[in-house]
Amino acid sequence: MTDRTERPSRLPLDWIAASLRRERTRAGLSLSELAKRAGIAKSTLSQLETAGGNPSVETLWALAVALGVPFSALVEPPAPAVRVIRAGEGPEVASEQANYVATLLSSSPPGARRDIYRLRAEPGAARESEPHIPGTVEHLIVATGRVKAGPRGESVELGPGDYMTYRGDVPHAYEAMAPGTSFVLIMQHV
């Protein structure tokens, strides 16, 4: 038989507190404004954001609606602080145009607009890329081999350790200049 007076783990309240602060900040709302929109006392919201109190489903639901987020955004456990994708693992997508394989390492989290890819390419046809959404900037870091990359008419050949950045909202290409070429590509959507 369990002692019902025993205090439950603080971790779920900590998750809820961190989620409330994150979502309130993302929405640009003060404690007072969010409390007013959710129909709860400011002191109750303040307690919840410091992992105090005992929030009901109804209170959390009202806060989620006021923040414009799903209920799960307030109660879902945080993602692990460390995530590892070993070489050769992860979802791969191959090009039809060239010997070019992209592995998505990290999609853009809420509030950020960037994706991170690990790419492998072999000499042969270049991988021609159409313009991405307006404001896209690409960052490329070569790991192995050599790659010629960049906007049409402005391509640059890079070797291991080299970094370049360029507009991704114009036609651009990637071409492996040596066998076993690999690089990391960060697509930043402004």
Side-chain angles (χ1 to χ4, degrees):
M1 190 159 151
T2 306
D3 178 4
R4 295 203 185 269
T5 61
E6 186 178 301
R7 184 178 173 95
S9 166
R10 294 277 305 183
L11 199 50
L13 289 177
D14 291 340
W15 294 344
I16 292 167
S19 296
L20 280 170
R21 285 190 306 272
R22 178 191 69 232
E23 295 301 330
R24 183 175 60 77
T25 300
R26 181 199 52 78
L29 298 173
S30 66
L31 275 170
S32 298
E33 182 60 24
L34 178 55
K36 179 179 162 186
R37 288 183 184 188
I40 65 171
K42 180 181 172 184
S43 60
T44 300
L45 179 56
S46 180
Q47 276 187 318
L48 292 177
E49 283 198 5
T50 58
N54 188 17
S56 68
V57 169
E58 293 79 10
T59 297
L60 291 175
W61 200 275
L63 287 164
V65 169
L67 287 165
V69 300
F71 179 80
S72 61
L74 300 182
V75 296
E76 187 173 39
V82 176
R83 181 173 172 238
V84 175
I85 299 175
R86 302 277 180 208
E89 294 179 354
E92 294 184 339
V93 180
S95 170
E96 292 179 354
Q97 300 175 3
N99 192 346
Y100 173 97
V101 178
T103 302
L104 179 64
L105 299 176
S106 175
S107 60
S108 184
R113 293 179 50 104
R114 62 98 186 113
D115 298 320
I116 303 173
Y117 297 89
R118 178 180 57 232
L119 300 155
R120 296 187 325 253
E122 295 296 331
R127 166 64 175 94
E128 300 288 335
S129 183
E130 293 300 316
H132 303 299
I133 61 174
T136 298
V137 175
E138 293 192 358
H139 303 268
L140 188 150
I141 304 164
V142 178
T144 60
R146 299 193 70 73
V147 65
K148 186 176 179 183
R152 285 188 191 147
E154 299 179 70
S155 293
V156 176
E157 189 170 327
L158 305 166
D162 289 348
Y163 161 84
M164 79 179 294
T165 186
Y166 52 89
R167 290 181 54 193
D169 58 0
V170 297
H172 54 283
Y174 319 92
E175 182 180 359
M177 306 305 287
T181 295
S182 65
F183 52 98
V184 173
L185 180 70
I186 301 169
M187 293 179 70
Q188 174 185 330
H189 311 289
V190 186

